[in-house]
Amino acid sequence: MTDTRQKILSALEEAGGAVVSGGELAEKLGLSRTAVWKQIAALQQEGYQIAAEAKKGYKLIPGEVFSGYEIERRLTTKVLGRPLYFFDSIDSTNIRARQLAAEGAPHGTVVVAARQTAGKGRLSRRFESPEGHGVYLSILLRPSLPLQEVNTATLLAAVAVADTVEELTGVRPSIKWTNDLCLNGRKLCGILTECAVEGESGRVEYMVSGIGLNLYQQIEDFPPELQKIAGSVLSETGVRVARADYAACLLKHFEALFEEGHFPENKKAVLERYRKGLFFLGQTVEVRGFAESYPAKALDIDDEGRLLVERADGRIVALNSGEISIRLPGRHNGYPE
Ligand code: BTN
């Protein structure tokens, strides 16, 4: 947003909903009244509701605007979101972040969208990303990590999202291994981490942590096949907070864990927090693999982020997320009731 437009917006915000005359704005900014009017029209185009009252002036009507500017003005981070790319609509923020990575974009680059037309989920599934209902964002990281640490870095994202929802609503979602966040048995958030690895050294060239958070849907807004398993922060907590607040808060929590915590030096602490958030440790779960399904007791998460389960014959197995999914017996979706 241009400097002039920001100043007009600030003047209207400072007026707290009262009318500000076009003449006053023009004088304050050294512009003609026509130029002010053009800037007001541009702000309206950007989504701000500004009422023009004949012979009086302009007033800002409260309402949520989700834009790069609204996120950036809330950012408290040093690294994440600098730079930040915002799209009203895009195929997938993960795809765009990977393109940016290939073009040399720096560590901390963030891509946010108000809508995705081809949101990517795990295992080549689709992630529903409708306009006006959620935050879809991808964080490009260039950590100096061996490939085996990537798994735990993905768990860090789940802790950051749980911290965010808790800070903004007062309710902490639980984590379903590996990286779904849920409340009242409904999935609120999905995380997809993708990375590029250098063949020879096995070092991570970059990773993209993609986070999709359902915020405002009511259950009937979800496609019929998701209505039993999906939920939003609003449907499950009754709390509505602006999407720009979520995006900025999420980047703050992610940065606190990843940058300030110097991941992977703080890996133990991250894993500890992740374990605390998991809802099914100690319970019997159904492990569904490509080749077989079997009941097992969920024991723990190991230092590589794998789920340790005890099979009926007493064998302890470490499970990788790519290979299996977990169901709680008798539950339609595997999420806690
Ligand atoms: C899953 O639940 O299977 C993971 C869903 C991950 C969705 C997010 S939305 C932002 C980012 N861009 C994508 O295309 N996917 C991730």
Side-chain angles (χ1 to χ4, degrees):
M1 181 180 307
T2 63
D3 205 36
T4 312
R5 230 167 278 163
Q6 282 178 32
K7 285 185 180 142
I8 293 182
L9 184 61
S10 300
L12 294 175
E13 284 171 343
E14 278 158 24
V19 175
V20 183
S21 82
E24 191 184 322
L25 288 171
E27 198 181 333
K28 203 169 177 174
L29 297 165
L31 297 171
S32 68
R33 279 167 184 252
T34 315
V36 168
W37 174 79
K38 280 192 182 149
Q39 296 297 332
I40 294 278
L43 282 167
Q44 288 168 328
Q45 276 290 320
E46 289 182 31
Y48 297 94
Q49 288 188 55
I50 300 170
E53 299 198 358
K55 300 216 171 82
K56 285 190 181 157
Y58 304 99
K59 75 171 177 196
L60 185 66
I61 298 166
E64 191 215 1
V65 175
F66 190 37
S67 64
Y69 173 69
E70 287 297 329
I71 299 170
E72 277 167 336
R73 71 196 298 204
R74 291 163 167 81
L75 272 190
T76 54
T77 51
K78 288 200 180 80
V79 178
L80 299 193
R82 307 191 185 275
L84 182 137
Y85 295 85
F86 182 89
F87 297 88
D88 289 325
S89 179
I90 196 171
D91 49 359
S92 151
T93 55
N94 264 33
I95 293 177
R96 187 69 194 116
R98 294 185 68 165
Q99 285 164 352
L100 287 164
E103 290 161 15
H107 174 76
T109 299
V110 167
V111 181
V112 189
R115 166 181 183 249
Q116 295 183 118
T117 53
K120 289 167 69 174
R122 285 180 52 233
L123 305 170
S124 308
R125 294 193 196 110
R126 202 184 136 80
F127 186 78
E128 287 297 322
S129 319
E131 216 277 296
H133 282 303
V135 168
Y136 318 109
L137 67 77
S138 301
I139 305 169
L140 167 63
L141 301 164
R142 294 186 183 277
S144 172
L145 282 184
L147 184 58
Q148 57 270 31
E149 298 290 4
V150 168
N151 210 15
T152 26
T154 70
L155 305 185
L156 180 150
V159 177
V161 178
D163 287 348
T164 303
V165 174
E166 184 175 24
E167 178 178 332
L168 296 178
T169 69
V171 184
R172 189 168 184 87
S174 46
I175 303 170
K176 176 174 180 274
W177 184 80
T178 53
N179 256 357
D180 289 349
L181 277 109
C182 44
L183 269 175
N184 308 322
R186 293 182 175 277
K187 174 171 166 174
L188 303 176
C189 172
I191 298 169
L192 174 67
T193 304
E194 300 182 280
C195 65
V197 178
E198 196 185 78
E200 283 75 21
S201 65
R203 302 292 296 180
V204 175
E205 214 174 289
Y206 67 80
M207 55 184 273
V208 167
S209 187
I211 300 166
L213 185 54
N214 299 333
L215 291 179
Y216 307 143
Q217 289 97 332
Q218 296 301 337
I219 301 307
E220 56 277 14
D221 294 326
F222 290 103
E225 68 278 13
L226 296 182
Q227 288 188 1
K228 282 203 167 128
I229 58 177
S232 72
V233 177
L234 180 65
S235 74
E236 302 315 305
T237 67
V239 179
R240 188 184 180 104
V241 176
R243 286 167 290 173
D245 287 323
Y246 271 101
C249 191
L250 177 52
L251 295 177
K252 176 183 79 176
H253 285 295
F254 202 111
E255 181 161 301
L257 294 168
F258 200 90
E259 296 292 322
E260 293 156 26
H262 303 291
F263 188 86
E265 283 159 42
N266 65 342
K267 190 173 106 174
K268 258 192 158 45
V270 170
L271 277 169
E272 208 36 57
R273 297 200 59 214
Y274 179 87
R275 283 187 190 102
K276 276 207 180 116
L278 276 181
F279 73 84
F280 60 54
L281 290 186
Q283 296 185 41
T284 298
V285 297
E286 192 190 325
V287 177
R288 291 189 179 177
F290 292 125
E292 55 169 352
S293 294
Y294 55 88
K297 187 173 171 191
L299 298 177
D300 204 353
I301 299 293
D302 73 9
D303 287 351
E304 263 86 69
R306 294 174 305 183
L307 178 65
L308 300 176
V309 297
E310 185 180 349
R311 297 187 63 147
D313 60 8
R315 269 187 299 148
I316 294 180
V317 196
L319 302 172
N320 281 308
S321 60
E323 296 157 18
I324 59 125
S325 68
I326 293 291
R327 291 278 179 284
L328 286 180
R331 304 258 167 81
H332 55 78
N333 59 9
Y335 295 114
E337 296 298 337

